[in-house]
Amino acid sequence: MKYIGIILINIAFSAAGIFAAYSIKEKEIICDELLIMARTMKSNLRFSSGTYTGILNSLKQELILKHLDFINEISAEEPAVKTKLSLADDERTTHIFRLLGSVDSASMLDELDAYENYFAERKRYYSEKLKNRFKLYIMSGILCGAAVSIMLL
């Protein structure tokens, strides 16, 4: 019975390490979807009327943006964005939605270009962080599980 408990502790700590590594991967995925969102907004501004509701409806129809929960809940009056990224990243996305419909198309396209460059850099940052820390998080989970198991023996 004692050995089963030790095995379960090791599994739990290993799963915690994998979960920590996955949280970084999820941030990378969110950055990728924000880039797709920006490109979709740019194409709507260039090739259609580019109204706020039209752009928002086209974003809601994009199935690939499944990690961006805020798209279905965003309001036109006071857009507020909440993702698993940092507060500064969320504020930048909120700023884009506040500008949408309040500035001319050329200025909005410039803002979207800057937004796209910012999140391309953030995606590279999370990719590098994942590459450097993925094994570290998993090994930390395994070693913590082993340390607790040794203390219980």
Side-chain angles (χ1 to χ4, degrees), residues 79-129:
V81 173
K82 180 70 179 129
T83 63
K84 294 182 180 181
L85 301 178
S86 70
L87 183 61
D89 295 341
D90 289 346
E91 287 174 358
R92 186 171 286 268
T93 303
T94 300
H95 177 71
I96 285 294
F97 279 101
R98 282 193 184 128
L99 287 179
L100 194 60
S102 63
V103 296
D104 63 306
S105 294
S107 298
M108 191 65 203
L109 288 171
D110 290 341
E111 285 289 328
L112 284 170
D113 284 336
Y115 179 84
E116 197 173 346
N117 290 336
Y118 176 79
F119 277 103
E121 185 60 37
R122 294 297 289 169
K123 182 183 175 192
R124 279 192 292 277
Y125 167 76
Y126 286 122
S127 296
E128 190 66 30
K129 187 175 180 181

Side-chain angles (χ1 to χ4, degrees), residues 43-80:
S43 68
N44 281 336
L45 281 170
R46 284 189 182 121
F47 302 118
S48 68
S49 63
T51 63
Y52 184 86
T53 54
I55 291 173
L56 204 54
N57 287 336
S58 71
L59 291 175
K60 287 178 182 179
Q61 293 173 358
E62 287 289 331
L63 297 176
I64 198 165
L65 303 177
K66 61 184 172 191
H67 290 93
L68 303 181
D69 299 329
F70 67 87
I71 290 177
N72 294 322
E73 302 163 359
I74 200 161
S75 69
E77 297 81 30
E78 188 57 39

Side-chain angles (χ1 to χ4, degrees), residues 22-45:
Y22 180 73
S23 68
I24 297 173
K25 179 67 176 168
E26 194 170 21
K27 289 179 181 182
E28 182 185 18
I29 291 170
I30 289 171
C31 285
D32 195 35
E33 290 184 11
L34 287 172
L35 288 169
I36 293 169
M37 181 191 78
R39 291 179 190 127
T40 303
M41 291 170 82
K42 282 170 42 176
S43 68
N44 281 336
L45 281 170

